[in-house]
Amino acid sequence: MQLDLNIAKPRSETRVVVAMSGGVDSSVTAAMVKAAGYDTVGITLQLYDHGAAVERKGACCAGQDILDAQRVAERIGIPHYVLDYESRFRDAVIDDFADSYLRGETPVPCIRCNQTVKFRDLLQTARDLGADALATGHYVRRVVGETGPELRAAVDDSRDQSYFLFATTAEQLDFLRFPLGELPKSEVRALAGRFDLPVAAKPDSQDICFVPNGDYRRVIEKLRPDARVPGNIVDLSGAVLGQHDGIIGYTIGQRKGLGLGGEAGGHTEPRFVVRLDPARAEVVVGPREALACASLTVNELNWLGDEPLAAGGRAVMARIRNTAVAVPGRLIPADNGMATMRFDTPEFGVSPGQACVFYDGDRVLGGGWIVEAESAMAA
C-alpha cells in the first residue's frame, strides 16, 4: 500500500518523526513512512531501568526493545535517537500509578503515558526537531472532517486503541498521524515480513510496560513501602466478614481471592468488591446488583466534538473500560472540566481511576477520568 500522510509539502522535504517502541507495530510504521518517501527520523524513549530489562520479556521502552528499535532503524536506513525520559515517566506515570491504587482507584497507566510523556513531551520534541508530523503505531484513525481532524476507532475492532487515546487534543491531532489505523493486524505482520524487519516475528507486549510479569502489587510496594495497611472486609451494612492485608490487592468488581470462604456462615450468594475505602482501610463487598451504576462523574474532560458540549448535554455511547462494550446515555457538562455520564441502563463494575470514553459511532468525542460512581441501588 502507498502511504499518504496528507501533508502539503514534497515528501522529500517533509520530516516525520516516528515513535519507535521496538515492537512490530511501530517498526512497520517507520518502514511505511520511509518507503513512502518522507524524511523519516526514529525516536525511542528510554522510560525506565536503563538496560536492566535487556533480558526481560514483554516489556517495552527499555532494554531489548531499545536494541530492537535500533536494529530496525538500521535496516530501513533512518537516523534513530534514544531519549532519556525516565524521570518524566516516573513523575507522570509510575508515581501516579502507585498513588492511584493507594486512593482505592484502578489506574490506566497507558493512557497517562500517551497523555503526558508521548503526546505532550515527545510531540514537543518532534516539533523541536523540525518535524511536520509525529507518527505512531497506534491502531486508531485520524480522519479530516468538516471542522478539522477527527479521532476515530481503528478498522480492526480487535486491535482498536481509541479508548487509550481519549485525552488527545485537537491541536495534537493536527500534528499526529496513525498509519496503521486502516489495517488489520495480520496485514501489519505481513508488511513486517515484506520489509524484512528483524522484529517481524516478535510477539506483542501484553503487560503494563513497567509491570511485565503482571505483579503490580510488588511494584507498588517497592515504590510505596508503607502501601499495605491491613484492615477489614465488610458488607454493605458495615458488618466485618474478614480481614485483608492492604486495599492495593483489590479492585472494584473482583470476585475471586476475597478469602471469605465462600459459604462460610451459611452465605451462598457470590460477593464482589463494590467499594474501597482507603481512609478506613476497608474493602466493602456485596451482591452483584450493588455494582450497578446509574451515573458517574469524570474530571479532566477532553472534548473533541465539533461543537462545545451544551449545558443540557448530549446523547453519547460510553465505554467504562477498554474491554467494555459502548453503551448509551447522556453526557452533561459541569464546572472545572468535570461532567456527569447518565446511563440509559445501569453499568456494572465502574471503578474510579479508569477512563470513561465517549463515542458517536466510531468517532471519539472525548473522555475523562472516573472520580465517582452513583449506585443504581441508591438512585
Side-chain angles (χ1 to χ4, degrees):
M1 63 174 291
Q2 182 63 31
L3 177 67
D4 185 356
L5 297 180
N6 295 310
I7 300 173
K9 290 174 61 176
R11 295 189 180 189
S12 61
E13 300 174 12
T14 302
R15 174 164 291 180
V16 179
V17 167
V18 181
M20 300 179 67
S21 68
V24 174
D25 297 329
S26 63
S27 297
V28 169
T29 297
M32 290 173 65
V33 173
K34 171 65 174 179
Y38 294 99
D39 175 15
T40 309
V41 177
I43 290 184
T44 300
L45 302 182
Q46 165 72 59
L47 298 182
Y48 62 96
D49 280 356
H50 280 295
V54 170
E55 300 300 328
R56 183 184 299 177
K57 303 298 183 182
C60 78
C61 302
Q64 184 61 49
D65 292 284
I66 291 177
L67 299 178
D68 287 341
Q70 291 172 334
R71 293 167 59 212
V72 169
E74 291 174 2
R75 178 66 56 86
I76 64 179
I78 65 171
H80 176 259
Y81 304 97
V82 179
L83 304 182
D84 183 356
Y85 275 26
E86 183 174 9
S87 62
R88 304 185 196 196
F89 186 68
R90 176 165 182 137
D91 292 344
V93 180
I94 298 181
D95 283 345
D96 178 78
F97 174 83
D99 292 339
S100 184
Y101 271 106
L102 294 181
R103 294 192 298 266
E105 301 171 347
T106 305
V108 192
C110 293
I111 298 179
R112 282 295 185 199
C113 184
N114 290 326
Q115 183 181 20
T116 56
V117 174
K118 291 180 180 176
F119 289 176
R120 184 192 66 197
D121 299 340
L122 176 57
L123 190 147
Q124 184 57 52
T125 297
R127 291 188 188 277
D128 293 342
L129 289 173
D132 299 285
L134 171 66
T136 79
H138 289 100
Y139 285 85
V140 68
R141 291 180 296 147
R142 175 189 181 273
V143 177
V144 179
E146 294 182 0
T147 62
E150 301 170 356
L151 186 63
R152 293 183 176 267
V155 168
D156 186 345
D157 289 340
S158 69
R159 304 296 301 184
D160 176 50
Q161 293 175 299
S162 59
Y163 176 88
F164 296 105
L165 300 183
F166 83 83
T168 306
T169 66
E171 180 183 6
Q172 291 167 345
L173 272 179
D174 278 335
F175 195 69
L176 289 163
R177 298 295 188 273
F178 307 106
L180 305 188
E182 302 282 349
L183 303 178
K185 180 70 177 189
S186 57
E187 177 62 17
V188 173
R189 285 283 182 188
L191 284 169
R194 288 201 286 272
F195 284 122
D196 193 27
L197 300 181
V199 296
K202 186 176 182 176
D204 293 334
S205 176
Q206 300 294 326
D207 296 309
I208 297 170
C209 66
F210 57 92
V211 194
N213 61 1
D215 189 358
Y216 72 88
R217 298 171 184 84
R218 183 177 178 182
V219 172
I220 296 170
E221 290 172 340
K222 182 178 180 180
L223 293 168
R224 305 289 185 267
D226 57 350
R228 282 199 181 270
V229 178
N232 293 325
I233 301 175
V234 302
D235 65 16
L236 295 174
S237 70
V240 176
L241 304 177
Q243 284 72 45
H244 65 81
D245 63 355
I247 65 170
I248 64 169
Y250 300 83
T251 56
I252 302 298
Q254 179 179 334
R255 176 183 174 184
K256 297 181 179 179
L258 300 182
L260 297 179
E263 287 73 36
H267 190 97
T268 59
E269 183 180 27
R271 287 173 290 200
F272 301 80
V273 176
V274 299
R275 189 170 67 255
L276 298 172
D277 188 341
R280 295 175 176 268
E282 287 184 344
V283 175
V284 183
V285 300
R288 184 176 184 274
E289 55 263 31
L291 289 170
C293 174
S295 67
L296 58 80
T297 301
V298 299
N299 66 4
E300 298 183 42
L301 176 67
N302 182 52
W303 184 249
L304 294 172
D306 292 333
E307 302 291 338
L309 187 58
R314 64 162 288 175
V316 298
M317 300 293 289
R319 290 168 66 187
I320 61 168
R321 290 180 300 277
N322 178 52
T323 56
V325 175
V327 296
R330 191 166 193 84
L331 179 66
I332 302 169
D335 296 331
N336 301 318
M338 304 186 77
T340 297
M341 177 67 202
R342 295 177 180 168
F343 299 106
D344 288 355
T345 56
E347 270 287 83
F348 285 80
V350 174
S351 177
Q354 296 277 291
C356 187
V357 181
F358 314 114
Y359 294 82
D360 179 1
D362 65 357
R363 181 180 179 182
V364 179
L365 294 174
W369 296 99
I370 300 170
V371 293
E372 188 177 0
E374 179 188 1
S375 172
M377 292 179 64

